[in-house]
Amino acid sequence: MNYGNIQFGENKPEPIDIMTVAIRCGDRLRYQERGKQTDLTARKTVDSLETAEKINKIMCECYPNYQVVKGMPPGGVFADQYGYDMQNDIYYCMTDYYAGKISESDVKDYLEECCVSMRIYRTQKCQTSGHNVEDNQLIVSQVYEIFAKMNARAAGNANYEEGLAENKAYGGRSDDWVYYNSDYYYQCEETKDFLRQAALYVTDQWEIPAIDAEEIEKNTGYTLDGGLDFNSGWNWMYRNQTGRGSMEDESVEPPKDFKLFYKEDSSAAEKGYLWVSLNGDRRDIDVSFSVSHSGSLKGQIYHVYDLMDDTFKAEHKEDSRFLSGLTVFMRWYAYASGINNISGNYVPRFE
């Protein structure tokens, strides 16, 4: 019988659940296969938090000549095919969570399972003893970092899919619009918080020092499409990719129950559509742009707050900081100003 790369001869152990074998011998069911094996809402990881002694016993059973010879991979615990596959599976897990297919408890269980699987896999590869404190802390830190990154990506994708559906009502192109739903910002933050707690639960059970989630988030290298937060990912999508909207300060919290949709009208020169909804108070606005032949950028970009009427401004004055930091513009402006090549906090040019 073959479970992953583990071969058992005539003296194979008594048949047990495939997840048990996968966890015990360092192999791992892919996330989608895992979902097919059993109901995620009812499944609990087998031996989800192994002690160092249990792991060593397992490795001795599977590999009689086992010894640490390599040390942990210099590129991190995700820097090989096993790690790449786990990253993809974590993304599938987080997208399922945002789609409402699995619960918070399921996500926590899967984070624990990934920590255990990675710990046993690295032990199997003779890269750690299984009870080295620094190695175990590294595993939990990097598993948390990937979960936090995939959380931000999944939140951004959920926002994008909702905006894509809104865009269909307008017809025309599918790549000339901007959408922001603050529900996803707050869900992303709340999810990141319970991911932190799940990671701390693992370190507590493994009896190793707690990870510093804030330091991990601040120093992450996963920044090509934004950091481990919703707003920076949003900026990458709509400033750098779509080239139609931007946020000046990514740290500013949006108002709750806030939505925005903006679309440049490709059928009519120098025109766009914008609607803003805040606590059910919606404004629909036709935006008129102007393109100067002298090289000036004036008239090609607007702060969202400046496009609102006086009544809206007066009723939502407390939200002016966020709305004043959001801009919408033409694709021509993105090219002319170079804003689509700038990442992070940035105050755009208006002249």
Side-chain angles (χ1 to χ4, degrees):
M1 182 179 294
N2 184 351
Y3 289 103
N5 296 319
I6 310 303
Q7 300 285 340
F8 295 105
E10 292 300 320
N11 296 321
K12 61 180 178 294
E14 289 297 317
I16 54 177
D17 178 77
I18 187 171
M19 178 57 72
T20 306
V21 177
I23 292 295
R24 281 178 59 82
C25 296
D27 201 1
R28 182 177 61 88
L29 285 180
R30 298 302 302 275
Y31 175 75
Q32 290 172 315
E33 294 172 350
R34 172 182 182 269
K36 294 174 184 177
Q37 288 292 321
T38 183
D39 181 1
L40 285 180
T41 61
R43 201 194 68 75
K44 197 64 174 155
T45 303
V46 178
D47 291 338
S48 62
L49 298 173
E50 296 279 5
T51 63
E53 291 76 13
K54 286 183 179 179
I55 289 178
N56 285 337
K57 182 175 184 294
I58 289 168
M59 295 313 301
C60 290
E61 290 173 353
C62 292
Y63 305 98
N65 298 320
Y66 170 78
Q67 59 179 329
V68 178
V69 294
K70 299 178 182 178
M72 294 289 272
V77 301
F78 285 89
D80 61 10
Q81 192 60 52
Y82 187 88
Y84 301 148
D85 289 342
M86 184 179 281
Q87 286 188 51
N88 289 334
D89 288 347
I90 291 171
Y91 179 71
Y92 294 142
C93 174
M94 296 314 302
T95 54
D96 277 358
Y97 174 69
Y98 277 88
K101 296 179 180 179
I102 61 174
S103 69
E104 176 181 323
S105 177
D106 295 323
V107 176
K108 290 178 179 178
D109 286 348
Y110 194 57
L111 184 147
E112 295 170 17
E113 181 182 311
C114 287
C115 288
V116 173
S117 296
M118 184 63 77
R119 182 179 180 181
I120 297 179
Y121 177 76
R122 295 300 163 195
T123 307
Q124 170 191 330
K125 299 294 287 184
C126 302
Q127 295 167 339
T128 182
S129 65
H131 58 77
N132 180 283
V133 171
E134 290 77 14
D135 290 348
N136 288 339
Q137 190 178 39
L138 178 68
I139 288 168
V140 180
S141 296
Q142 294 191 359
V143 168
Y144 167 75
E145 185 178 16
I146 293 298
F147 265 89
K149 180 61 185 180
M150 298 311 173
N151 170 49
R153 284 180 177 167
N157 184 65
N159 180 82
Y160 173 82
E161 291 296 328
E162 197 169 284
L164 188 62
E166 177 69 23
N167 179 65
K168 288 180 180 178
Y170 290 81
R173 296 176 53 159
S174 61
D175 60 351
D176 60 353
W177 53 272
V178 171
Y179 183 74
Y180 191 104
N181 183 343
S182 65
D183 287 351
Y184 294 115
Y185 169 90
Y186 286 103
Q187 185 177 7
C188 183
E189 289 298 302
E190 291 166 3
T191 302
K192 186 163 57 176
D193 184 61
F194 80 63
L195 290 173
R196 289 179 181 180
Q197 297 307 312
L200 292 174
Y201 177 72
V202 175
T203 58
D204 182 62
Q205 294 298 305
W206 286 4
E207 298 180 346
I208 59 175
I211 66 168
D212 190 334
E214 290 186 3
E215 281 298 307
I216 292 169
E217 294 158 20
K218 185 166 61 176
N219 298 305
T220 183
Y222 298 103
T223 57
L224 289 178
D225 58 347
L228 309 187
D229 63 288
F230 180 80
N231 282 348
S232 62
W234 185 92
N235 248 350
W236 177 82
M237 172 64 72
Y238 295 107
R239 179 201 290 173
N240 303 121
Q241 298 297 301
T242 305
R244 298 298 197 290
S246 178
M247 185 181 301
E248 294 180 0
D249 186 347
E250 296 170 353
S251 69
V252 178
E253 289 188 353
K256 292 188 175 180
D257 196 21
F258 167 78
K259 293 180 181 179
L260 172 149
F261 179 81
Y262 158 72
K263 181 178 177 68
E264 183 177 349
D265 187 353
S266 56
S267 65
E270 304 177 12
K271 184 178 179 182
Y273 306 108
L274 170 72
W275 63 255
V276 172
S277 177
L278 184 51
N279 296 321
D281 185 9
R282 174 166 165 162
R283 295 292 191 277
D284 291 77
I285 302 164
D286 290 330
V287 185
S288 296
F289 295 103
S290 62
V291 178
S292 170
H293 297 290
S294 66
S296 171
L297 299 174
K298 188 174 182 179
Q300 299 179 40
I301 179 173
Y302 295 99
H303 283 116
V304 170
Y305 188 71
D306 293 339
L307 293 170
M308 298 295 101
D309 60 64
D310 291 340
T311 301
F312 188 94
K313 290 179 180 179
E315 293 177 352
H316 304 288
K317 189 175 182 180
E318 67 277 10
D319 302 311
S320 61
R321 184 186 176 199
F322 180 80
L323 294 175
S324 295
L326 279 179
T327 53
V328 293
F329 41 85
M330 306 174 65
R331 183 62 171 171
W332 175 258
Y333 172 87
Y335 286 121
S337 67
I339 192 173
N340 56 335
N341 293 316
I342 299 171
S343 60
N345 292 344
Y346 174 69
V347 178
R349 296 160 53 201
F350 282 78
E351 299 289 341

